[in-house]
């Protein structure tokens, strides 16, 4: 954007997404037998795992309306929906206002601000993969979610408290970004595990709906608070409190039963 304008930037951002979407038609497969790159022993093992999971799955009973009603009456799913509201509130406030906060703190132009803003997301991409892999190995989900969110909330507060020390404030913003994104994989694995049998998709849809409400509220209210006499202090405090509430609600959700050994990662 620093060398052209926002229209060129939008096109440059959109083209890779369009190309990758087309590539998915050939690269993403629906069933194991459609993946020619899998060696036969791995393919046989994957088929056996899927067959075992299907045989062990509890039967789905009731009409479609009754099954969806069980989702709306499930305390665990509703807890996770409210949790995702507060998580999205803090996270999307962070996402939308991070460039403005960095620009104000660093005094840099729009190009350098954009590069600095990218740092938390680059680190978060690595953290998401590592955290998801560790959660799969251990089979534990809650512990792969709430500590990250708690640390993210504290990092947001610390970033503001750093005041004029921009390098320290920027470091804490990177920590906050990493902590807000790292739990995504284990979190939705937890939601599907807590959902009533056979209707995990409806549970995920309900949780995502609350997340969408939280993202709207977060972007709107964080911007509104920054424009009041509370300023950035109020904005950081609001994002931090919502993130800490999300961490507490994760602890309030039941821990799914674990298998006797770690989940294998192949």
């Amino acid at each position: 954007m620093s060398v052209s304008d926002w229209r060129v930037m939008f096109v440059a951002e959109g083209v890779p997404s369009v190309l990758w979407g087309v590539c998915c038609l050939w690269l993403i497969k629906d069933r194991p037998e459609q993946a020619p790159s899998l060696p036969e022993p791995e393919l046989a093992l994957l088929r056996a795992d899927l067959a075992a999971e299907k045989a062990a799955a509890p039967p789905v009973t009731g009409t479609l309306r009754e099954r969806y009603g069980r989702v709306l009456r499930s305390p665990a799913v509703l807890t996770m929906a409210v949790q995702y509201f507060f998580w999205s509130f803090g996270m999307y406030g962070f996402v939308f206002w991070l460039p403005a906060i960095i620009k104000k703190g660093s005094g840099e132009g729009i190009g350098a601000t954009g590069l600095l803003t990218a740092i938390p997301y680059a680190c978060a991409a690595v953290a998401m993969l590592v955290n998801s892999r560790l959660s799969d190995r251990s089979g534990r989900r809650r512990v792969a979610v709430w500590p990250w969110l708690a640390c993210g909330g504290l990092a947001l507060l610390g970033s503001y408290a750093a005041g004029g020390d921009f390098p320290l404030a920027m470091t804490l913003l990177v920590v906050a970004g990493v902590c807000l994104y790292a739990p995504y994989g284990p979190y939705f694995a937890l939601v599907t595990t807590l959902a009533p049998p056979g209707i995990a998709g409806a549970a995920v849809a309900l949780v995502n709906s609350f997340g969408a409400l939280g993202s709207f509220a977060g972007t709107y209210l964080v911007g509104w608070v920054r424009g009041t006499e509370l300023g950035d202090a109020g904005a950081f405090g609001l994002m931090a409190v919502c993130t800490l509430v999300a961490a507490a609600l994760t602890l309030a959700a039941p821990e799914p039963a674990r298998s006797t050994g770690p989940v294998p990662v192949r």
Side-chain angles (χ1 to χ4, degrees):
M1 189 169 177
S2 63
V3 298
S4 57
D5 56 37
W6 65 269
R7 294 177 180 84
V8 175
M9 182 191 71
F10 270 41
V11 172
E13 288 184 333
V15 168
S17 300
V18 173
L19 294 177
W20 184 245
V22 174
C23 290
C24 285
L25 296 174
W26 287 273
L27 297 175
I28 306 287
K29 306 301 179 183
D30 295 318
R31 290 178 292 277
E33 53 271 16
Q34 294 177 340
S37 60
L38 276 179
E40 186 57 37
E42 291 188 18
L43 185 58
L45 184 60
L46 184 56
R47 285 172 176 164
D49 286 348
L50 292 173
E53 288 180 6
K54 185 176 181 180
V60 180
T61 59
T63 64
L64 186 62
R65 182 175 181 178
E66 291 171 340
R67 282 180 272 160
Y68 277 79
R70 287 201 293 272
V71 170
L72 296 174
R73 294 191 301 270
S74 170
V77 173
L78 292 177
T79 298
M80 299 311 289
V82 176
Q83 187 267 11
Y84 199 44
F85 173 89
F86 283 101
W87 182 2
S88 297
F89 191 111
M91 187 188 71
Y92 277 89
F94 173 85
V95 167
F96 275 84
W97 291 102
L98 177 64
I101 293 168
I102 289 179
K103 181 175 176 60
K104 181 179 178 181
S106 67
E108 296 288 347
I110 193 168
T113 297
L115 293 174
L116 290 171
T117 302
I119 295 174
Y121 301 106
C123 296
V126 177
M128 289 173 71
L129 295 173
V130 173
N131 188 43
S132 297
R133 188 172 183 85
L134 292 175
S135 177
D136 281 346
R137 284 188 180 277
S138 67
R140 302 176 68 184
R141 303 303 184 189
R142 284 198 317 176
V143 75
V145 178
W146 75 264
W148 290 95
L149 296 180
C151 289
L154 295 176
L156 286 171
L157 289 176
S159 179
Y160 178 76
D165 189 349
F166 180 74
L168 177 58
M170 182 65 197
T171 300
L172 289 170
L173 283 175
V174 172
V175 172
V178 168
C179 292
L180 287 171
Y181 275 91
Y184 262 107
Y187 173 78
F188 279 101
L190 176 62
V191 171
T192 56
T193 305
L194 295 176
I199 41 178
V204 172
L206 178 65
V207 168
N208 269 318
S209 297
F210 273 72
L213 291 173
S215 65
F216 169 77
T219 53
Y220 180 83
L221 289 178
V222 169
W224 178 78
V225 169
R226 288 191 78 222
T228 67
E229 61 183 16
L230 296 175
D232 284 344
F236 273 94
L238 185 61
M239 290 187 290
V241 167
C242 288
T243 306
L244 292 172
V245 169
L249 286 172
T250 307
L251 281 172
E255 180 72 79
R258 289 196 296 157
S259 58
T260 55
V263 178
V265 177
R266 303 182 181 94

